[in-house]
Amino acid sequence: MAVAAATALAAPLLLSASSPAVAGSKAGTKAGSQHSAASRHNPAKEGAKLAKELVRDSSAKDAYKHLQKFQVIAEANGGHRAAGTPGHDKSASYVHDLLKKAGYRVSYQDFEITYIETLAEKLAVTSPAPRDIGIHAMSYTRSTPVGGITAEIAAVPVSAATGCAAGDYAAGAYTGKIALIQRGGCTFAQKQQEAGAAGAVGAIIYNNTTGTLSGTLGDPDVGVIPTGGISQADGQALAADVAGGPVSVSFDIRQLQEQRTTRNVIAETKGGRSDRTVMLGSHLDSVTEGPGINDNGSGSAGLLDVALKLARTHEKPTNKVRFAWWSAEELGLLGSEHYVAELTDKQRADLALYLNFDMIASPNYAQFVYDGDGSDSEAAEPGPEGSAQIEKAIQKYLDSKRIPHEGSEFNGRSDYGPFIEVGIPAGGTFTGAEGIKTAAQERRYGGEAGVAYDKCYHSACDDLSNISMKAFGVNIGVIANAVGTYAHDVSTVKKPAVAPKGLKSATKAQDHDHEHEPKA
């Protein structure tokens, strides 16, 4: 199914590709008129005009109607819109049908996934001081027996790479016990594999920064022992208890895992130069815990509103514009990874840029712009050539509206990841997830310091009440401006970017990783 869908997508690219020359006598008879048309054609001016129109017409109010539809779909389908479920299928159909009616060339791209649904995630200290501890099952974890297990905790000594090597586990000290391991230094998969090899019957990984820890082992074949994530505070408290004597816990982690089919939705304009294709995307799937209205109904609805408004202009873009609503992002970018993997070398080369919009209406938001030039921290790496120019263009738009903003490192944890891996310029925005808003950000954006940007991240309460309409509107404006500009003019992506003066910013946002779950 996936190969057939990719082939169907490729065919329109060839059919609609512009020819650089006109053969035979027609070239001579039309030369004068073509020269005259070329002299009147000003891509930058046309792009600015269309951008202004789209920014004016696109709105959070209109996009909110799509969020309402996503909420209704979730409520009728088990409370979520996760990939491989009827909730996602109906969301994809809704988007597909609106775009088809609007005149886009629309296709589905099917692919296989391992669907996961958490059935139990409970952790409780049974002695010496009984208490419950919040825990999140790692994606693709092995499961405990029904009812869980009771065992002692064995804390792995903290280092720069806690629990990443066999030598971190003293012989016999972890047999039959649950290993308590601090995050950092290697993947969660490696940590639980080493713990399992040392005889542990489970692994609890605690965060190395503020906030809860939701993670993934990355692949259904790597799980060895039941594994869950807890907060830094809870992990440190458990470690302190263990240092004072034996600690026993009840540990119940169970997860359904089965093969299913899901699909991306791809829509593109019927005209425009295919060798300068402008692409924008948002993931449409939610987690199974909730309806996913901010994560990522917001990006999906914003993108849909702008796409529909572009169709209404009846504009004939100079460049082909392609929109994507990815599936299975929450399982590890599977939809966008599949799409990029299925592209031919020619199709990949035809992509002028990719813009990603994920969680663009967080209730306690900060305005993040992906750091294309790598200037926002000493550790940041720049994106592929052209990414710096994309970042600069988004910043310029926000500055024109007097909207404060800050950078966010390209960490590969959302659907831009597969594109930057193959050298395609990328950029985009988001407004934060489980990371904690700082006092400086409170002064800059309002909201509440010391609270998560989205306290309903990956939760049942990520519903229609979990939206900042202000942030939603700002980021829909970013999408509209980008679509209008690049539909006619991508020359700015190729222009040299002016390097920022002075040192890189020391005020990079905190650990606001979001999107799909981290692997490490």
Side-chain angles (χ1 to χ4, degrees), residues 363-440:
N364 194 34
Y365 75 93
Q367 184 61 54
F368 297 113
V369 179
Y370 288 124
D371 182 20
D373 62 7
S375 66
D376 286 291
S377 77
E378 292 296 336
E381 294 292 334
E385 185 176 353
S387 302
Q389 291 88 332
I390 293 170
E391 178 192 15
K392 184 179 178 181
I394 295 174
Q395 292 172 334
K396 183 178 178 181
Y397 169 78
L398 292 171
D399 289 343
S400 74
K401 302 294 183 181
R402 297 185 178 181
I403 297 167
H405 53 83
E406 58 194 272
S408 174
E409 181 182 354
F410 270 133
N411 56 23
R413 285 186 52 196
S414 193
D415 289 304
Y416 59 79
F419 290 87
I420 64 176
E421 284 181 5
V422 296
I424 296 169
T429 61
F430 81 107
T431 56
E434 79 274 35
I436 305 300
K437 176 172 274 189
T438 66

Side-chain angles (χ1 to χ4, degrees), residues 145-509:
V146 175
I149 59 176
T150 299
E152 283 191 16
I153 293 287
V156 179
V158 174
S159 67
T162 306
C164 295
D168 294 336
Y169 301 84
Y174 295 87
T175 302
K177 298 182 179 180
I178 298 170
L180 178 65
I181 315 167
Q182 182 176 266
R183 179 186 187 182
C186 65
T187 65
F188 302 138
Q190 185 174 340
K191 289 177 186 287
Q192 59 91 40
Q193 285 172 336
E194 294 293 351
V201 293
I204 299 170
I205 301 173
Y206 64 96
N207 215 342
N208 56 1
T209 187
T210 54
T212 59
L213 180 58
S214 295
T216 178
L217 302 185
D219 187 275
D221 297 326
V222 301
V224 174
I225 53 177
T227 304
I230 64 175
S231 70
Q232 182 181 48
D234 285 334
Q236 290 175 339
L238 266 181
D241 290 346
V242 171
V247 175
S248 293
V249 298
S250 173
F251 182 60
D252 190 3
I253 294 286
R254 285 178 286 120
Q255 200 169 77
L256 169 68
Q257 300 178 18
E258 63 183 27
Q259 291 300 113
R260 296 187 183 181
T261 300
T262 189
R263 53 184 28 177
N264 296 323
V265 180
I266 312 293
E268 63 183 26
T269 55
K270 292 179 179 177
R273 290 187 56 164
S274 62
D275 62 341
R276 293 181 182 175
T277 297
V278 174
M279 190 164 189
L280 305 91
S282 294
H283 77 86
L284 186 57
D285 62 310
S286 74
V287 293
T288 55
E289 287 79 5
I293 298 303
N294 185 38
D295 183 16
N296 182 39
S298 62
S300 293
L303 200 64
L304 181 57
D305 182 58
V306 174
L308 295 176
K309 297 297 170 56
L310 174 63
R312 289 181 193 175
T313 67
H314 301 292
E315 187 88 9
K316 294 181 179 179
T318 304
N319 307 314
K320 182 174 292 296
V321 181
R322 185 177 301 149
F323 300 94
W325 285 264
W326 308 117
S327 184
E329 188 268 3
E330 296 291 1
L331 298 180
L333 314 185
L334 301 186
S336 54
E337 284 183 347
H338 179 78
Y339 175 83
V340 172
E342 291 293 312
L343 292 173
T344 65
D345 291 343
K346 170 80 166 57
Q347 290 169 337
R348 191 181 302 163
D350 284 346
L351 288 177
L353 58 93
Y354 172 76
L355 299 179
N356 194 70
F357 298 94
D358 194 352
M359 298 183 70
I360 62 171
S362 299
N364 194 34
Y365 75 93
Q367 184 61 54
F368 297 113
V369 179
Y370 288 124
D371 182 20
D373 62 7
S375 66
D376 286 291
S377 77
E378 292 296 336
E381 294 292 334
E385 185 176 353
S387 302
Q389 291 88 332
I390 293 170
E391 178 192 15
K392 184 179 178 181
I394 295 174
Q395 292 172 334
K396 183 178 178 181
Y397 169 78
L398 292 171
D399 289 343
S400 74
K401 302 294 183 181
R402 297 185 178 181
I403 297 167
H405 53 83
E406 58 194 272
S408 174
E409 181 182 354
F410 270 133
N411 56 23
R413 285 186 52 196
S414 193
D415 289 304
Y416 59 79
F419 290 87
I420 64 176
E421 284 181 5
V422 296
I424 296 169
T429 61
F430 81 107
T431 56
E434 79 274 35
I436 305 300
K437 176 172 274 189
T438 66
Q441 289 170 336
E442 179 184 10
R443 291 190 294 271
R444 187 177 302 154
Y445 307 107
E448 186 177 357
V451 177
Y453 305 115
D454 181 357
K455 61 184 179 182
C456 288
Y457 173 69
H458 283 191
S459 300
C461 58
D462 186 9
D463 54 24
L464 287 173
S465 67
N466 192 48
I467 291 292
S468 164
M469 290 297 284
K470 181 178 179 180
F472 198 26
V474 165
N475 287 280
I476 288 172
V478 172
I479 298 170
N481 184 68
V483 169
T485 300
Y486 295 132
H488 285 296
D489 183 20
V490 294
S491 65
T492 56
V493 178
K494 301 181 183 300
K495 290 181 179 178
V498 178
K501 297 179 180 180
L503 295 174
K504 293 184 177 183
S505 170
T507 58
K508 176 180 176 284

